[in-house]
Amino acid sequence: MYMDAVVIAGIATVLLVVGFFVGVGIFVMRDQKAHGHQDRKEGKHGQKPI
């Protein structure tokens, strides 16, 4: 396969996007472990409408 600058840039873009989403996923998992056990506040907006 012929590798020119456009193909290399496309592969780099795909790898950067995948890396970004993996990083966001890791951040969310760590944040959920750290803050997931807090009690939810049952206030005005936390209840079901009548």
Side-chain angles (χ1 to χ4, degrees):
M1 183 170 124
Y2 181 70
M3 297 291 282
D4 61 347
V6 176
V7 174
I8 294 171
I11 292 171
T13 302
V14 169
L15 291 176
L16 285 171
V17 169
V18 169
F20 173 77
F21 283 116
V22 167
V24 169
I26 291 171
F27 171 77
V28 167
M29 288 190 334
R30 287 184 182 175
D31 189 60
Q32 189 174 14
K33 282 184 181 179
H35 300 101
H37 298 293
Q38 293 178 351
D39 294 330
R40 293 186 179 182
K41 295 179 182 177
E42 291 295 329
K44 180 180 178 183
H45 299 288
Q47 298 173 352
K48 293 181 180 179
I50 297 175

